[in-house]
Amino acid sequence: MQELNFPKFEYRFKSTENKVSIFDVIRKKFVSLQPEEWVRQHCVHYLITEKKYPKSLINVEKALTINGLKKRYDIVVFNTNGSIHLIVECKAPKIKIDQTTFDQVARYNLALNASYIMVTNGINHYYCQMDTDAERYAFLKDIPEYIKT
């Protein structure tokens, strides 16, 4: 797999029937290793090790319904009160992050109402703080570290 613009982490692989899987510490199971999953796993480990978010507050690949359509988010980090702190949209490294990507995560956020958004393809990372009252976002240099509330 391609080297990404994240710190290195220890991962576990499993190979069966010519398929390689990587262990997901959040879902606690092996999942098929695709380019987007490679990015997602790096991002999860980044949130845990670098940003100090507890595993118990991180959710990966869950369904949500937006305007009657079923969608799946990549990563959500909750606050201890159950509100959503951060939503992360992961793309494969070869996917260029553009306005369409931001529009996708903005639609998700209409339902989720996260305080922060991160968009990454593993090479480029973009961070935004949401201002839901003004219906806009401000770009940040990074997302904040976890602060226990």
Side-chain angles (χ1 to χ4, degrees):
M1 279 284 154
Q2 180 176 346
E3 191 164 320
L4 301 178
N5 186 16
F6 278 111
K8 303 268 187 274
F9 73 95
E10 288 192 32
Y11 41 79
R12 291 171 39 206
F13 290 122
K14 179 172 82 172
S15 186
T16 54
E17 298 176 18
N18 296 331
K19 286 186 188 174
V20 177
S21 298
I22 188 168
F23 189 76
D24 182 326
V25 297
I26 302 302
R27 292 178 274 186
K28 295 183 173 97
K29 66 179 186 177
F30 282 93
V31 293
S32 180
L33 182 57
Q34 302 296 323
E36 184 177 313
E37 190 62 45
W38 184 238
V39 172
R40 185 169 25 252
Q41 291 306 312
H42 275 77
C43 191
V44 164
H45 285 271
Y46 169 75
L47 293 172
I48 294 167
T49 58
E50 301 293 318
K51 295 299 176 180
K52 311 297 186 226
Y53 288 100
K55 287 182 202 175
S56 61
L57 297 179
I58 300 173
N59 207 319
V60 175
E61 276 228 306
K62 295 286 186 201
L64 71 151
T65 303
I66 300 171
N67 296 329
L69 300 172
K70 292 216 180 278
K71 303 287 183 185
R72 291 183 82 75
Y73 61 70
D74 286 308
I75 303 169
V76 162
V77 178
F78 291 92
N79 292 308
T80 53
N81 67 4
S83 64
I84 297 178
H85 178 71
L86 168 70
I87 181 172
V88 181
E89 179 62 27
C90 300
K91 297 294 184 189
K94 69 176 184 186
I95 303 295
K96 185 175 183 266
I97 295 174
D98 56 16
Q99 189 61 49
T100 305
T101 312
F102 281 98
D103 291 346
Q104 176 186 1
V105 76
R107 279 191 303 276
Y108 290 0
N109 202 41
L110 288 174
L112 299 172
N113 205 22
S115 302
Y116 296 91
I117 290 176
M118 176 179 174
V119 179
T120 181
N121 62 4
I123 307 301
N124 300 299
H125 317 299
Y126 300 93
Y127 313 97
C128 302
Q129 183 171 14
M130 301 305 298
D131 181 346
T132 51
D133 294 335
E135 296 183 353
R136 65 176 188 235
Y137 49 85
F139 282 93
L140 305 172
K141 290 184 189 259
D142 202 350
I143 53 171
E145 279 194 18
Y146 176 72
I147 300 170
K148 189 173 182 178
T149 53

